[in-house]
Amino acid sequence: MMSDAQEDKSAASELDFSPDALLILGRDGTICRANSAAERLFGRTREELVGSDHRILLADGFLEAIVWEYDVLRKSPDPVLGSPPIEPVCLRGDGSEFPAEIICSLLPAPQQPTPSGNAAPSLAVSVRDATYRKVGNALAEEASQLRAMAFQDQLTGLANRQLFNDQLAQAMRRPRHTAVDVILLDLDDFKEVNDIHGHQAGDQMLIETARRLRSCVRPNDTVGRLGGDEFVVLLTNVADPAAVAERIMETLNVPVNIGGAHLKPSLSLGLASMSETTMEPSDLLRQADVAMYAAKAGGKNRYVRFRPEMLQVLAQRNDMEARLRVAVLHGEVKVQYQPVVATGSGREVQLEALARWERDGEFIPPGQFIPMAERSGLISDLGNSVMARACVELQPWLAEDKSRSLSFNVSGGQLHERDFADVALRIASSCKVDPGQLVLEVTESVFLDPGSQVIDQLKHLRRERMRVALDDFGTGYSSLGRLQDLPVDSVKIDGSFVSMVRTGAEKLPLLSSMVTMAHALNLSVTAEGIETPAQAEYLMDLGCDFLQGYLFSRPVSDNRLDMAMTRAETAMESVRGLRVGGRR
Ligand code: C2E
Ligand code: MG
Ligand code: MG
């Protein structure tokens, strides 16, 4: 077929000037010539190479690669230009393999047939080791993936905070953008979706939110996820951004089917628009945030457009938070106590400790500063300081009679602290208060996160004889049926149910089934917010064990406790008298 192999067996040739390994193959695939780069690349001497079948250089699976090229090239209109690179795996003399890049071109047939009578064209084969290129490609791909990851939210594929900030900065710099608007939105009560339906459901909700958001804007508008359940949209040159905000509200409010459950996303949305006075991207984002906060404060599931007056509200909020921090640090949060009286003949009395914060001579209601303390991470310090102060103030009162008890309100944020139980027990012991006389009031929401150690902490404290009451009973998410699984000793029926009793003639089956159910589970029942004798009688008739409310006493400071107790007892006596008097 081709030139005589022997003639080139050891000769150096012009092929040696090529940095690439070069082989000349005959039509039957015998190696006729090889350069020194080929010797180095394949780890074989020229003597070994020349005269051998080229397939000794190819790994199994690639044996046909070059033969096939030869045929393709012969049929090609311009065979000398060579084939596109092929990438077989090659074999070295020591048996090791390496990825190669091979380009074949057909050499013209010799004018004169060789002595062996072969006038077929031969094949020039240029071989490169592709190991480094392959590694390089893999690295480049990884780098580009990393780059994408650096700017993309992994769960939803939306822009992440950094990319969004860059896009916003660019948009605000560009003079041709007459309008730049930012929409910031946050899913309301998303934590509950996670807690009740699981994190997977939560993720699905976020992915669906991202999809719907994208469908509400133009393809080139940037939609980002800033983290958690917070999303952001950048609009440029949109004439009516409020219409986009409304569209987002409508689209997102449609229920999502997650694992068979229909969940209706609710969202709070803030809209802010660039003006001459908004200089920085961070200002615009902050304005959207302030508007979003106003939407939440205004009752959630709504959108609010930023107005400059809102900044004042924000400043006040920050100021209040800073002052609360100082007050907690300096032990300035005081405690008042409200009696809880027994309906039966027993003399057990309980006091509920309620935090009081006086700022500039004015009492701030706990309904305001407790959520603030929870948001700003102050709640544990605040809760511990209330517990410590109450234990100190009431130690003598508790020590006087073992049937007396003292209850505290405990927020979820406190129970999530790993050392909550230890700290509570330490406070009791250092104040010489029997843990058996202490009650922790928790709300149902603390039980929603099944993965947390809340239940373990409460069980631990119950082993140490502290008791647990389920506060605001009836207002939570869980069904009455869940009650039996919770580590609690009593329930406190929320005042909102009690306030449904006006004349005392009402039929309130929910209220009576709450009492029956709790009793069936051996839990004692307190009714909160009793303001009228009619309410007291009604709840006593239902079988409530304890009553609490302004009818008996308002919360008072420790120096007025005796008076409050007497008043509460008297009020209780008069309610008992009414019932004995047969009015009902
Ligand atoms: P809560 O634990 O359900 O406390 C009962 C609330 O009802 C108290 O409000 C009490 O003053 C009020 N109340 C009592 N009787 C009546 C009544 O007859 N009518 C009406 N309308 N209200 C009555 P307060 O002191 O404003 O506390 C509100 C909430 O703040 C508490 O609700 C509790 O959830 C929380 N809180 C109070 N102190 C603390 C604390 O130290 N730590 C924590 N984590 N939360 C606290
Ligand atoms: Mg309470
Ligand atoms: Mg309550």
Side-chain angles (χ1 to χ4, degrees), residues 293-311:
Y293 186 83
K296 271 214 191 295
K300 302 180 178 175
N301 207 31
R302 63 194 60 218
Y303 97 84
V304 167
R305 197 169 189 157
F306 173 79
R307 292 188 311 276
E309 312 86 87
M310 290 175 179
L311 284 178

Side-chain angles (χ1 to χ4, degrees), residues 63-327:
L63 298 178
E64 302 305 320
I66 291 178
V67 176
W68 189 77
E69 279 304 301
Y70 186 83
D71 288 339
V72 171
L73 283 168
R74 285 197 69 177
K75 288 174 199 143
S76 133
D78 198 355
V80 184
L81 280 181
S83 63
I86 53 171
E87 298 187 344
V89 174
C90 286
L91 270 183
R92 296 193 186 87
D94 62 5
S96 60
E97 296 183 351
F98 65 95
E101 183 183 272
I102 290 184
I103 296 176
C104 300
S105 24
L106 223 46
L107 293 176
Q111 295 295 311
Q112 298 294 319
T114 58
S116 47
N118 199 334
S122 46
L123 194 65
V125 180
S126 145
V127 190
R128 271 187 195 178
D129 185 345
T131 308
Y132 297 107
R133 188 174 53 76
K134 288 234 150 127
V135 171
N137 283 351
L139 285 176
E141 196 172 312
E142 203 171 307
S144 99
Q145 269 174 12
L146 281 173
R147 259 197 309 279
M149 271 165 68
F151 294 115
Q152 206 179 42
D153 171 52
Q154 290 304 292
L155 180 68
T156 60
L158 297 180
N160 67 8
R161 184 183 287 272
Q162 193 186 344
L163 179 58
F164 181 83
N165 285 344
D166 288 353
Q167 302 277 354
L168 177 59
Q170 263 182 36
M172 287 178 76
R173 268 200 307 269
R174 256 180 245 162
R176 67 190 167 84
H177 284 154
T178 48
V180 177
D181 305 276
V182 168
I183 288 176
L184 188 67
L185 60 104
D186 182 284
L187 297 179
D188 298 326
D189 307 316
F190 179 69
K191 188 176 177 309
E192 259 107 72
V193 174
N194 261 335
D195 290 347
I196 298 172
H197 300 278
H199 287 270
Q200 225 173 357
D203 282 356
Q204 276 183 47
M205 174 88 110
L206 294 174
I207 292 167
E208 180 59 14
T209 302
R211 194 189 65 74
R212 291 185 187 185
L213 271 178
R214 280 246 61 104
S215 76
C216 291
V217 298
R218 300 164 303 184
N220 289 339
D221 290 323
T222 303
V223 181
R225 178 172 169 231
L226 299 185
D229 56 349
E230 205 171 66
F231 293 86
V232 70
V233 177
L234 169 63
L235 301 172
T236 47
N237 292 334
V238 170
D240 189 359
V244 180
E246 272 163 29
R247 187 156 66 236
I248 290 176
M249 294 295 302
E250 274 168 25
T251 313
L252 262 67
N253 271 169
V254 176
V256 190
N257 183 345
I258 292 177
H262 286 274
L263 307 179
K264 187 166 181 272
S266 156
L267 62 148
S268 301
L269 185 153
L271 165 64
S273 308
M274 183 171 72
S275 68
E276 277 98 65
T277 52
T278 28
M279 307 304 289
E280 295 295 328
S282 56
D283 290 341
L284 193 53
L285 207 55
R286 199 166 69 100
Q287 290 179 358
D289 187 41
V290 170
M292 185 181 82
Y293 186 83
K296 271 214 191 295
K300 302 180 178 175
N301 207 31
R302 63 194 60 218
Y303 97 84
V304 167
R305 197 169 189 157
F306 173 79
R307 292 188 311 276
E309 312 86 87
M310 290 175 179
L311 284 178
Q312 233 173 326
V313 176
L314 180 74
Q316 280 165 1
R317 197 177 85 201
N318 289 344
D319 174 60
M320 191 146 134
E321 222 170 87
R323 289 199 192 195
L324 179 61
R325 193 172 292 276
V326 172

Side-chain angles (χ1 to χ4, degrees), residues 524-551:
S524 74
V525 181
T526 301
E528 295 182 298
I530 306 278
E531 294 183 350
T532 66
Q535 291 171 339
E537 278 187 85
Y538 194 102
L539 284 134
M540 277 173 85
D541 286 347
L542 286 184
C544 279
D545 309 284
F546 296 92
L547 302 180
Q548 176 182 9
Y550 295 165
L551 176 68

